[in-house]
Amino acid sequence: RGSTLLKMKITILLPYFIAVRAFAPAPEPTPDPGPPKSWLFSATGYYTGLAANTFKMSGTTNIIAFTDRPIREANYDMSLGEVVSLFHQEPNNPPNAVVTVTTDGGEMLSAAMMLSHYDDSTMKSDEMAFNFSILGEVDDITRQKMRGCSKCKMSIFVDSVAENCKCYGGSPNTPSGKKTVQFSKAKTPAYALPSH
């Protein structure tokens, strides 16, 4: 008899539970985080060639950080040190950059390069020296003219770094393809810097 009563209760209550379930609010959907945020950088300043593979950027102004598509954001308040610190967080993946300088004679020179070590130990907050490796084919005359620059007007465009530094995979190689280069603060003395 107890079994019969249990079956009757289930039969009576089952439509109620079905109705309640049908009208219960649907769970909130998990928001789509969207694509990872990737930041790129541009700035202007002055270029001084220190050695065949070293330049100093000074008087750095107009630093703009902006996101890669499809996200549309920008930041106009970053310092040179803050930008460099972002790439320092992923040392096995040195940034690429395109540097354009204007010589005293008004000639514009451009080169793509991989930035490796940096040094700001003896410089002002808007100055920093970088070691670099040229990417692609840049003729010797352009290299010599850029090396001979002393406070030539410059602009620089630096490729992306992801939010939380998780956009890259693996450890990229140098242009020679023979070894991995780390982006890090140069060990003193990394190269001779001219006195102020």
Side-chain angles (χ1 to χ4, degrees):
R1 182 174 177 178
S3 158
T4 303
L5 288 175
L6 178 61
K7 290 180 179 177
M8 290 177 63
K9 288 180 179 179
I10 292 174
T11 303
I12 294 171
L13 294 175
L14 184 59
Y16 170 78
F17 286 122
I18 293 174
V20 169
R21 185 179 179 86
F23 290 98
E28 291 291 330
T30 303
D32 182 5
K37 190 180 295 184
S38 182
W39 291 90
L40 302 96
F41 307 89
S42 67
T44 57
Y46 296 94
Y47 181 103
T48 298
L50 302 180
N53 65 338
T54 307
F55 72 87
K56 181 175 81 170
M57 184 174 184
S58 61
T60 308
T61 56
N62 300 322
I63 297 176
I64 302 174
F66 60 100
T67 51
D68 201 357
R69 297 171 296 171
I71 301 172
R72 316 290 178 176
E73 295 181 18
N75 184 334
Y76 297 84
D77 299 320
M78 297 189 73
S79 68
L80 180 58
E82 287 173 333
V83 173
V84 169
S85 70
L86 293 176
F87 289 95
H88 190 42
Q89 294 177 46
E90 45 174 356
N92 290 328
N93 197 10
N96 294 330
V98 172
V99 173
T100 299
V101 302
T102 303
T103 66
D104 292 338
E107 184 179 7
M108 294 185 68
L109 308 169
S110 297
M113 54 185 68
M114 179 188 70
L115 305 178
S116 52
H117 298 86
Y118 65 94
D119 188 358
D120 61 353
S121 56
T122 62
M123 301 185 184
K124 301 174 184 177
S125 60
D126 64 349
E127 297 179 348
M128 195 166 293
F130 296 93
N131 287 135
F132 65 88
S133 298
I134 292 289
L135 304 177
E137 300 296 328
V138 176
D139 61 81
D140 292 339
I141 294 177
T142 297
R143 292 171 185 253
Q144 292 170 6
K145 288 180 178 179
M146 292 184 72
R147 181 178 178 180
C149 271
S150 178
K151 291 191 174 180
C152 294
K153 290 181 179 180
M154 72 171 292
S155 63
I156 185 170
F157 174 80
V158 185
D159 68 357
S160 60
V161 62
E163 193 169 48
N164 300 323
C165 299
K166 292 181 179 178
C167 66
Y168 302 107
S171 297
N173 293 327
T174 64
S176 64
K178 294 181 179 179
K179 62 178 181 178
T180 298
V181 172
Q182 289 195 334
F183 183 69
S184 59
K185 188 174 180 67
K187 295 179 180 178
T188 305
Y191 35 74
L193 297 177
S195 58
H196 291 285

